[in-house]
Amino acid sequence: GNSVTQMEGPVTLSEEAFLTINCTYTATGYPSLFWYVQYPGEGLQLLLKATKADDKGSNKGFEATYRKETTSFHLEKGSVQVSDSAVYFCALSGNTPLVFGKGTRLSVIA
Amino acid sequence: GAVVSQHPSRVICKSGTSVKIECRSLDFQATTMFWYRQFPKKSLMLMATSNEGSKATYEQGVEKDKFLINHASLTLSTLTVTSAHPEDSSFYICSATLTGTSGYNEQFFGPGTRLTVL
């Protein structure tokens, strides 16, 4: 079945550091890939998505490229801010419902 | 944009009582909604798929008699936790599926409901 594996946290970075959170997936067919963010005490918000191979999703300085050859969708940001502290979930959908990774907690310190 | 609300956002109840959580799509109709449960520092676990006008489809290991789901309209699904116990304490999140003009489905999530059973 479909599954998502993402790097386990927590990840602690200083402000303005470069961020990478790895995500790989196993799926049949051609799934859509997503990154969701969950701020403390809140629900999930879609951060970015890519619906086909080689697509790059981007939002708020975050980027992820759908790599079919490596079955990956790594999340990157060039310069993190304290306000980026949250839990990030990688997810895929070959068809609804979504399959989530376990989440990676990011803490950014000033 | 597509907005999904949940009510209540927090609820504290005594063991043995029942709690109803509402999930509403505010500006679109959703034939399919999903209910997830999130344990502390864990990922989301899909509990059930709620289909408007038909019975919900439960994931393996989820007690359908304990977690009653009713999708009465295209904008409302409810989850009732019956005879709640402390182990039911969790963060419950719903999502609603919006089908775009291209036929692509996207899920929009509610803000979640934190249930604490004493």
Side-chain angles (χ1 to χ4, degrees):
Chain A
N2 296 345
S3 67
V4 173
T5 302
Q6 61 181 105
M7 61 184 288
E8 294 199 22
V11 174
T12 303
L13 295 173
S14 297
E15 210 167 21
E16 299 184 3
F18 184 85
L19 169 71
T20 299
I21 300 178
N22 290 337
C23 172
T24 56
Y25 68 90
T26 302
T28 54
Y30 303 96
S32 296
L33 301 173
F34 307 83
W35 276 100
Y36 284 85
V37 58
Q38 185 178 33
Y39 297 102
E42 298 184 13
L44 270 70
Q45 300 176 29
L46 178 64
L47 181 60
L48 53 84
K49 67 182 181 187
T51 58
K52 60 182 187 296
D54 299 325
D55 267 3
K56 176 186 284 187
S58 61
N59 185 27
K60 299 181 181 180
F62 291 89
E63 292 183 343
T65 301
Y66 189 160
R67 303 282 189 201
K68 191 171 184 296
E69 63 277 13
T70 55
T71 61
S72 65
F73 193 55
H74 304 323
L75 181 68
E76 297 182 336
K77 185 173 185 180
S79 176
V80 294
Q81 305 300 312
V82 172
S83 57
D84 294 327
S85 298
V87 180
Y88 293 82
F89 292 93
C90 184
L92 71 81
S93 176
N95 198 349
T96 54
L98 290 163
V99 175
F100 288 91
K102 292 186 176 181
T104 302
R105 183 175 300 276
L106 170 66
S107 296
V108 181
I109 55 177
Chain B
V3 179
V4 176
S5 70
Q6 277 185 244
H7 178 79
S9 58
R10 293 176 181 271
V11 57
I12 300 173
C13 69
K14 293 182 178 180
S15 186
T17 60
S18 295
V19 174
K20 179 185 285 188
I21 302 170
E22 292 184 349
C23 177
R24 294 182 185 273
S25 55
L26 297 185
D27 49 3
F28 66 101
Q29 294 182 331
T31 55
T32 303
M33 293 184 175
F34 300 96
W35 287 96
Y36 296 84
R37 182 174 178 178
Q38 186 178 27
F39 295 94
K41 299 183 179 181
K42 299 285 187 181
S43 188
L44 281 74
M45 180 191 78
L46 178 66
M47 298 175 66
T49 302
S50 173
N51 300 299
E52 188 269 337
S54 64
K55 291 183 179 180
T57 304
Y58 290 83
E59 296 300 299
Q60 190 173 9
V62 178
E63 298 176 62
K64 62 181 180 181
D65 294 332
K66 179 168 188 61
F67 298 100
L68 300 178
I69 291 172
N70 183 24
H71 197 149
S73 76
L74 288 172
T75 59
L76 173 64
S77 175
T78 59
L79 168 68
T80 301
V81 183
T82 62
S83 187
H85 289 95
E87 57 265 30
D88 298 325
S89 299
S90 193
F91 195 52
Y92 293 88
I93 302 176
C94 75
S95 70
T97 301
L98 172 62
T99 301
T101 53
S102 63
Y104 170 74
N105 291 333
E106 184 170 345
Q107 285 190 45
F108 292 88
F109 287 82
T113 297
R114 182 159 303 284
L115 170 64
T116 302
V117 184
L118 302 177

